């Protein structure tokens, strides 16, 4: 039996989960919070892409993708400011309840806007092109995803390890209160963390839905759950661990 196509698809699926899992693990590393709304932000990103492509059909697709990423980042930033920032000193359970509330809010907003009906994701030229690997037809997005994910993870690792904002993020993740006493702007670091996580969720969204083209208000639940499991499996709070966990889950899922 030729396992090559399954391994390739597993790497692609794992890569998509990895980008979502990084958002979970980064937020947990700093706030010790499981952002239950992250999977729904992934779904909302896909729905925004559908409406943008339908509203501006003559706009180049790469411009549409950039606008979608920017809107997703804005929504992620707004969620942090509205739902989490006011509860900075509240008990952790209160923040968790707020996260669950935001998750339901995003799902129900998407249901209200779309009528709850499944929608077809727009075709992105090039990504949906079919190529043959080991005698099996495969979409080009399946081959591109692992490479793009590795590049993004390497870039993120360099940002965290070799920049001032990355140093601040590491300091906050180690000791929240001491970092604040040393003059680190906690709110700015947390907002930047949400911005990065939201941008990665947006990238994962167009990679995922370019391959699985149907999207509904509940489409973020299962990928979000699998990404969360990947983050826990890899040691939540660890970016390399989340990526490795996501790849293992993606490969196992496709092989099984």
């Amino acid at each position: 039996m030729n396992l090559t196509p399954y391994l390739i698809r597993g790497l692609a699926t794992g890569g998509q989960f990895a980008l979502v899992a990084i958002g979970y693990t980064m937020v947990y590393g700093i706030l010790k919070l499981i952002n239950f709304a992250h999977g729904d932000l992934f779904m909302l990103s896909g729905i925004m892409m559908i409406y943008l492509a339908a509203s501006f059909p003559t706009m180049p697709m790469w411009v549409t993708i950039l606008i979608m990423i920017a809107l997703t980042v804005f929504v992620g930033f707004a969620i942090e400011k509205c739902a989490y920032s006011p509860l900075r000193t509240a008990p952790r359970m209160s923040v968790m309840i707020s996260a669950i509330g935001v998750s339901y809010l995003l799902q129900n907003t998407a249901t209200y806007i779309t009528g709850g009906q499944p929608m077809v994701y727009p075709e992105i030229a090039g990504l949906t092109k079919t190529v043959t690997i080991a005698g099996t037809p495969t979409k080009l997005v399946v081959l591109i995803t692992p490479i793009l994910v590795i590049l993004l993870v390497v870039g993120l690792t360099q940002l965290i390890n070799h920049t001032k904002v990355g140093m601040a993020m590491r300091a906050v993740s180690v000791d929240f209160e001491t970092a604040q006493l040393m003059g680190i702007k906690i709110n700015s670091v947390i907002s930047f963390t949400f911005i990065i996580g939201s941008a990665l969720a947006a990238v994962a969204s167009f990679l995922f839905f370019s391959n699985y083209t149907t999207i509904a208000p509940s489409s973020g639940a299962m990928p979000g759950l699998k990404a969360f499991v990947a983050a826990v499996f890899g040691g939540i709070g660890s970016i390399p661990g989340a990526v490795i966990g996501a790849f293992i889950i993606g490969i196992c899922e496709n092989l099984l």
Side-chain angles (χ1 to χ4, degrees):
M1 181 179 180
N2 186 6
L3 297 179
T4 303
Y6 299 99
L7 291 174
I8 293 174
R9 284 198 291 269
L11 288 172
T13 304
Q16 294 152 6
F17 292 160
L19 293 178
V20 181
I22 289 172
Y24 280 111
T25 204
M26 287 180 65
V27 171
Y28 183 85
I30 289 180
L31 287 178
K32 300 298 182 287
L33 162 71
I34 303 300
N35 181 17
F36 290 105
H38 198 59
D40 299 294
L41 183 64
F42 164 87
M43 170 275 299
L44 187 64
S45 179
I47 290 179
M48 287 193 292
M49 183 68 181
I50 292 173
Y51 278 98
L52 284 170
S55 301
F56 306 99
T58 59
M59 184 185 296
M61 188 56 71
W62 66 270
V63 176
T64 306
I65 292 172
L66 289 178
I67 294 174
M68 176 271 291
I69 293 174
L71 288 174
T72 305
V73 167
F74 174 76
V75 173
F77 177 79
I79 288 171
E80 193 279 322
K81 287 300 180 186
C82 296
Y84 302 144
S85 183
L87 300 175
R88 199 77 80 218
T89 58
R92 194 169 301 172
M93 183 59 69
S94 300
V95 186
M96 184 175 295
I97 292 171
S98 180
I100 295 172
V102 172
S103 174
Y104 281 117
L105 175 64
L106 294 179
Q107 284 190 34
N108 284 281
T109 300
T111 301
Y112 177 78
I113 292 173
T114 65
Q117 298 299 315
M119 305 176 72
V120 178
Y121 200 73
E123 184 174 330
I124 300 176
L127 289 182
T128 54
K129 180 182 178 181
T130 301
V131 295
T132 301
I133 301 294
T136 304
T138 305
K139 289 183 180 180
L140 189 59
V141 66
V142 173
L143 301 178
I144 292 175
T145 298
I147 299 171
L148 181 59
V149 169
I150 291 171
L151 291 175
L152 287 172
V153 170
V154 169
L156 178 60
T157 303
Q158 293 298 311
L159 173 71
I160 291 175
N161 291 332
H162 298 98
T163 64
K164 287 185 177 181
V165 68
M167 187 182 298
M169 291 170 68
R170 286 185 284 127
V172 173
S173 68
V174 171
D175 194 320
F176 191 96
E177 294 180 355
T178 302
Q180 193 170 22
L181 291 173
M182 294 178 67
I184 294 175
K185 297 179 179 179
I186 301 295
N187 289 330
S188 298
V189 172
I190 294 172
S191 295
F192 187 71
T193 302
F194 272 84
I195 286 172
I196 292 177
S198 300
L200 293 177
V203 174
S205 176
F206 84 79
L207 291 173
F208 184 87
F209 292 116
S210 292
N211 193 24
Y212 306 98
T213 55
T214 302
I215 179 172
S218 60
S219 295
M222 190 54 66
L225 178 61
K226 291 176 182 177
F228 172 65
V229 172
V232 174
F233 182 76
I236 192 161
S238 167
I239 291 176
V243 174
I244 293 171
F247 277 123
I248 290 174
I249 289 175
I251 292 171
C252 290
E253 178 180 295
N254 279 270
L255 289 176
L256 291 172

